[in-house]
Amino acid sequence: MTMGTIIWKEMKERPTALIASLLAIILSVTALVAIRNVTIFSEQEVAGKLDELGANVLILPEGVTLQDYYAADMHKETIPEEHVAELALAGLTGVEAITPKLCVPTKLDDRNVILTGILPQSEIQKMNAWSGGGMLFKKHEGCKAKINVADENLDAPDSLAERRALQHLNQSEVLLGSDFAASKGLKEGDQLQLLGETFEVLSVLPSTGTVDDSRVFAHLHTVQRLSGTGPVVNIIEVMGCCEDVANGLVGELQSLLPGTKVVTIANVVETQVSINRMMTNLSYLFLAILVAVGGASMASASFANVIERRREIGTLMALGATPRFVTQLFLAKAALLGLAGGISGYVLGSLIAVLLGPVFANVSVFPVPSLAIVAATVAVLVTLAASYFPARQASRLDPCLCFKEV
């Protein structure tokens, strides 16, 4: 009789104990997988929302009051442009892009227009390179990392509308908001005069539904020169990683640039970030429950099994079964239960997450295949650990004593 046959007969003859142990494992794994599944997609949703918002941290002159996020640069107060270099050289964790702006009211054919000077990311990249830090300027992979201020995805002029940051812009080029371009009948390649200088239209930005649609964007240093303001800006927009913004980036910016006001709109999603943390902690809690409940259940069932099956164990050993074979017999049964419980828990937990994720977390959830490996591995390890001592106890039974009445 093979080990597999013995294990199968054991499970078939004692289904009650088997089902009780299996349910304990399945329920714990189900809770673990469901919570972790929802958390993963909720974190992605939060990161996507912040990415759509573009810059989520604003650095303003100290006396400015923020009334409209998308018009936060519409004031007459300024801060030194050198703050941009300080930010670039600081290498703060969580900073994806830095966009300083200077707004100058002017006219084009008797129409009022806001000429907004922006500094392309390529020039901020040079500032960082001068520090000798050897940074590669590529986008981060997830949060909690040192992130650089340039990204190949910012090459297209449209990125200014999408992410409020632009990689390249010559000093003789301008970008037009969609409403302004439509009102003047301007398109890419056309020329226009502002503040006595001729510019070429690099691109017409897609509509954003904000004040940017009625603006003209030019190189920051050109706007400074033509307006005579000197090396100053009205605002520095910072795109920061959501987790880092919530975990101290604002405080670091305030310490780095005293005399400025650092404002974040991350509070739009701060509640969701807190919920994500809570759910992550809950997943760890249910992991502990899996270890405690599943382990205790398996240990109890295994000890009871050893007591109930003393005669069968004694018979096996009398027929030549070694202590190692007996130990492997109990551990193999535990591993099978753990594997079955882990896989079943993953399927049930994923189903619950897919069904309830949109209801409770307002996010679409899909099964995460990697969680199947985690669930099965954890369940098997827990059941093996819980069954080890009962298995060792069974392997040390004296065959002669096993035939006495218990």
Side-chain angles (χ1 to χ4, degrees):
M1 185 176 290
T2 63
M3 182 182 294
T5 305
I6 296 174
I7 293 173
W8 172 250
K9 286 185 174 292
E10 161 68 14
M11 291 180 173
K12 189 176 180 180
E13 291 177 7
R14 285 174 171 78
T16 304
L18 170 68
I19 292 173
S21 300
L22 195 59
L23 278 177
I25 299 169
I26 290 175
L27 291 176
S28 300
V29 173
T30 297
L32 172 65
V33 170
I35 291 176
R36 192 62 197 144
N37 234 324
V38 174
T39 302
I40 289 172
F41 285 93
S42 183
E43 289 171 349
Q44 292 177 0
E45 181 75 9
V46 170
K49 286 179 180 177
L50 275 178
D51 196 49
E52 290 173 5
L53 290 172
N56 47 26
V57 179
L58 307 179
I59 300 173
L60 300 161
E62 197 168 21
V64 172
T65 300
L66 180 64
Q67 295 179 338
D68 181 357
Y69 165 69
Y70 284 101
D73 49 5
M74 289 302 298
H75 54 80
K76 296 182 180 180
E77 297 191 43
T78 60
I79 54 178
E81 186 190 341
E82 64 186 29
H83 286 342
V84 179
E86 293 176 44
L87 279 173
L89 299 177
L92 296 179
T93 299
V95 176
E96 290 185 22
I98 303 169
T99 305
K101 292 184 176 180
L102 174 65
C103 291
V104 176
T106 185
K107 286 189 176 184
L108 178 66
D109 298 334
D110 296 327
R111 170 172 175 156
N112 294 326
V113 62
I114 300 298
L115 179 61
T116 302
I118 57 174
L119 193 63
Q121 302 300 296
S122 58
E123 299 198 23
I124 300 174
Q125 177 179 348
K126 291 177 184 177
M127 296 178 188
N128 191 288
W130 292 339
S131 70
M135 303 179 82
L136 299 178
F137 299 101
K138 58 184 178 181
K139 192 178 185 298
H140 73 298
E141 297 283 341
C143 297
K144 301 295 179 191
K146 238 174 214 184
I147 303 168
N148 299 306
V149 294
D151 188 337
E152 62 275 9
N153 294 327
L154 303 179
D155 285 336
D158 288 357
S159 65
L160 181 63
E162 296 170 359
R163 295 169 62 94
R164 301 178 72 81
L166 180 66
Q167 184 69 9
H168 300 288
L169 180 65
N170 293 332
Q171 295 203 22
S172 61
E173 296 174 330
V174 292
L175 299 167
L176 305 183
S178 58
D179 291 347
F180 178 81
S183 66
K184 292 296 181 182
L186 295 170
K187 60 184 182 302
E188 182 179 333
D190 288 348
Q191 293 187 337
L192 72 161
Q193 278 201 340
L194 289 168
L195 298 177
E197 189 153 330
T198 302
F199 295 91
E200 181 180 347
V201 177
L202 174 63
S203 177
V204 176
L205 301 175
S207 177
T208 62
T210 68
V211 294
D212 286 352
D213 292 343
S214 59
R215 291 187 177 188
V216 176
F217 296 88
H219 195 287
L220 174 64
H221 295 160
T222 300
V223 176
Q224 289 172 342
R225 174 173 55 83
L226 294 177
S227 62
T229 60
V232 296
V233 297
N234 298 125
I235 187 174
I236 301 175
E237 297 182 350
V238 176
M239 184 186 296
C241 173
C242 57
E243 288 290 339
D244 293 313
V245 169
N247 290 333
L249 177 60
V250 172
E252 292 178 1
L253 291 171
Q254 192 71 71
S255 300
L256 179 66
L257 304 175
T260 63
K261 174 184 288 186
V262 181
V263 180
T264 176
I265 58 167
N267 57 345
V268 174
V269 290
E270 188 174 348
T271 301
Q272 188 64 50
V273 171
S274 300
I275 291 174
N276 289 344
R277 289 187 195 141
M278 180 190 71
M279 294 180 70
T280 299
N281 293 333
L282 278 176
S283 68
Y284 293 139
L285 173 63
F286 278 101
L287 177 59
I289 292 175
L290 168 60
V291 172
V293 176
S297 176
M298 279 300 303
S300 175
S302 297
F303 275 117
N305 197 22
V306 170
I307 295 174
E308 293 174 4
R309 307 296 300 263
R310 290 184 65 183
R311 290 192 176 185
E312 289 89 336
I313 296 170
T315 301
L316 282 174
M317 299 183 75
L319 293 174
T322 63
R324 181 178 180 181
F325 178 85
V326 174
T327 302
Q328 290 176 344
L329 185 66
F330 279 86
L331 293 180
K333 174 187 172 184
L336 286 175
L337 284 175
L339 184 62
I343 294 175
S344 301
Y346 166 76
V347 173
L348 187 57
S350 297
L351 181 61
I352 291 174
V354 169
L355 294 176
L356 300 184
V359 177
F360 291 100
N362 199 29
V363 294
S364 298
V365 179
F366 302 95
V368 180
S370 60
L371 285 180
I373 299 174
V374 174
T377 301
V378 171
V380 169
L381 289 177
V382 168
T383 54
L384 286 176
S387 301
Y388 177 75
F389 288 105
R392 292 288 293 172
Q393 182 187 37
S395 68
R396 293 174 179 174
L397 290 175
D398 186 339
C400 298
L401 298 177
C402 287
F403 291 101
K404 293 184 178 181
E405 288 294 327
V406 179

